Amino acid sequence: MTELKEHQYFRMHASPVFWGIKAASLRHAAEVLWPECERELDKVVNRDRTNPELSGGSFIWTFDIYGALLGYSIECLLKGKIIGDDQTLVSNGSLAKKLQTHDLKKLACMAKVVLSHDERVFCEQVQQMMKTEFRYPIPKSHDKQIEGYEGGGKWPEVFEGLYNRIHPLLNVLVQSHGKTVRVTWG
């Protein structure tokens, strides 16, 4: 019996390689934003109070968006790895309930990816940005407020190492009817 087109679409796009492609797209968007984030951080660190952007309330802050993009990229990698191990976790385009989370440390555990101390700090920090400051100026509930950041993280370096460790694991395009197609990442 022939599979319905929409089921083929969902099965295909649920495959790990598409999660890897989405992770790469999010990574690229973060990399494009990073130079602006560095400029913003320099303004804050140097506390240039003569800068009209800092004193007039019109300061644009994209660091939380950068952090959230990194977090979503890692989330896609982890979910892709989990789905690669168990493709029944996607059915007709819907993720299983246990995958419907932004908890990066929980997803890493489910993906059997052991995180270093700096990776755990990074995941905690960007996860907060994914949940709160990325979308709105205030969180939807008071229990999601960011009260401070723990030292560590080294975001660009830690992200790069974690990304490079997980991304090659998502080379399975389709597993169906006993056939597996693998993709070589360039």
Side-chain angles (χ1 to χ4, degrees):
M1 187 160 140
T2 306
E3 187 176 26
L4 294 174
K5 270 188 168 180
E6 67 182 25
H7 293 280
Q8 290 173 343
Y9 173 85
F10 288 135
R11 185 171 45 80
M12 183 74 149
H13 284 267
S15 69
V17 76
F18 283 96
W19 287 88
I21 290 168
K22 180 56 73 174
S25 298
L26 292 162
R27 174 189 183 180
H28 176 72
E31 288 172 346
V32 168
L33 193 55
W34 178 243
E36 178 61 24
C37 291
E38 286 184 308
R39 283 190 290 278
E40 292 168 3
L41 289 170
D42 284 343
K43 289 176 191 175
V44 171
V45 169
N46 295 329
R47 297 176 191 232
D48 182 1
R49 301 290 182 213
T50 62
N51 185 328
E53 288 181 355
L54 290 179
S55 60
S58 64
F59 182 61
I60 302 291
W61 183 251
T62 58
F63 193 74
D64 49 355
I65 297 168
Y66 168 75
L69 289 170
L70 294 181
Y72 284 125
S73 178
I74 295 299
E75 179 180 333
C76 285
L77 292 177
L78 293 170
K79 287 181 178 180
K81 168 80 169 69
I82 295 164
I83 290 166
D85 293 341
D86 183 359
Q87 292 192 354
T88 66
L89 293 171
V90 178
S91 177
N92 295 326
S94 295
L95 290 175
K97 190 75 169 164
K98 73 180 192 175
L99 288 182
Q100 295 177 15
T101 182
H102 298 299
D103 186 331
L104 298 177
K105 292 191 308 185
K106 180 180 178 181
L107 290 169
C109 185
M110 289 176 11
K112 298 177 182 80
V113 172
V114 178
L115 300 174
S116 70
H117 171 73
D118 282 345
E119 290 169 343
R120 285 191 308 276
V121 170
F122 165 81
C123 286
E124 289 168 5
Q125 291 176 349
V126 297
Q127 180 179 318
Q128 285 301 314
M129 292 182 169
M130 292 162 65
K131 288 181 178 179
T132 58
E133 298 183 27
F134 176 67
R135 299 178 291 178
Y136 309 114
I138 58 171
K140 292 191 321 189
S141 66
H142 72 282
D143 64 325
K144 293 183 182 170
Q145 293 177 9
I146 297 175
E147 297 190 13
Y149 293 109
E150 176 185 340
K154 304 175 198 87
W155 288 12
E157 298 86 6
V158 173
F159 168 78
E160 192 73 23
L162 188 55
Y163 182 96
N164 289 339
R165 192 158 47 106
I166 303 170
H167 194 261
L169 304 175
L170 305 185
N171 67 346
V172 175
L173 181 60
V174 171
Q175 288 181 319
S176 177
H177 308 294
K179 296 178 184 176
T180 299
V181 177
R182 298 201 180 275
V183 174
T184 303
W185 295 105

